Amino acid sequence: MSRRYDPERRQRIIDAAIRVVGRGGIAGLSHRTVAAEADVPLGSTTYHFASLDELLVAALRQANEGFAVAVRASGVFDDPECDVAGELARLTGEWLAKDRTGVELEYELYLAALRRPALRPVAGEWCAGIAELLAPHTDPVTARALLALLDGICLQVLLTDTPYDVDYARVMLARLIP
């Protein structure tokens, strides 16, 4: 029996893992649930991802692209004279308003790194990527502080169901910029 060539299978498995986590959290993730969601044989998930941590790393890497892609696509940080605090506050508000479920998923996968050390480097990649975009406008320590503040604001919005306040975020971010 010949193998069926399916170059998109790995990506479908990652997409399925993201949907499974989005519906039921990381606790609902297993090779079996992902295989069923992706409509692939169970052996395909273990072929492409030997462990759930490997699958979570791939899912986190893909999910983390949301905010970073939005920031890069905006092009605002290409301008050396941009209002860093104002633009970060605005972009964060747009990101939160666009797809709350996707944002919640990103944070769930991001925070899973607390208990799953294999995810920590991927969480660090996200921080480094955004900090790199901010580098021309501030120093590395301030860039990390800006990201930490944004994480805190976003978590408060997500956990308390309070509306995102772009003006508050802008003022707080501006306090960190020398």
Side-chain angles (χ1 to χ4, degrees):
M1 190 166 148
S2 68
R3 256 196 169 158
R4 197 174 128 223
Y5 179 66
D6 186 357
E8 306 299 320
R9 186 172 288 191
R10 185 176 193 280
Q11 184 59 51
R12 283 200 329 268
I13 292 168
I14 295 168
D15 294 341
I18 289 171
R19 288 191 304 274
V20 167
V21 172
R23 265 196 320 268
I26 289 176
L29 187 75
S30 69
H31 281 286
R32 190 171 305 283
T33 58
V34 172
E37 179 71 24
D39 195 25
V40 299
L42 178 59
S44 289
T45 64
T46 57
Y47 172 79
H48 289 286
F49 303 98
S51 70
L52 284 180
D53 279 350
E54 281 184 31
L55 181 54
L56 280 170
V57 164
L60 176 58
R61 190 164 274 128
Q62 183 170 311
N64 273 353
E65 293 174 358
F67 185 67
V69 166
V71 171
R72 275 190 206 93
S74 74
V76 297
F77 295 111
D78 295 341
D79 176 5
E81 300 300 317
C82 80
D83 171 16
V84 174
E87 293 299 337
L88 273 177
R90 178 184 66 75
L91 290 167
T92 301
E94 290 174 2
W95 177 63
L96 285 166
K98 183 178 149 201
D99 177 20
R100 184 180 171 105
T101 302
V103 174
E104 288 173 356
L105 173 66
E106 282 189 54
Y107 269 102
E108 180 159 7
L109 289 168
Y110 181 66
L111 292 171
L114 291 170
R115 301 268 185 229
R116 294 177 180 257
L119 298 178
R120 290 180 187 158
V122 181
E125 288 171 13
W126 179 87
C127 293
I130 300 293
E132 185 179 303
L133 292 171
L134 298 175
H137 303 282
T138 188
D139 61 276
V141 172
T142 302
R144 285 195 314 271
L146 292 168
L147 294 175
L149 176 59
L150 280 179
D151 269 342
I153 291 171
C154 289
L155 282 170
Q156 286 178 0
V157 166
L158 294 171
L159 294 172
T160 63
D161 285 327
T162 46
Y164 176 74
D165 184 340
V166 69
D167 294 325
Y168 168 79
R170 183 185 41 73
V171 168
M172 293 300 107
L173 290 164
R175 287 184 179 185
L176 296 177
I177 300 171

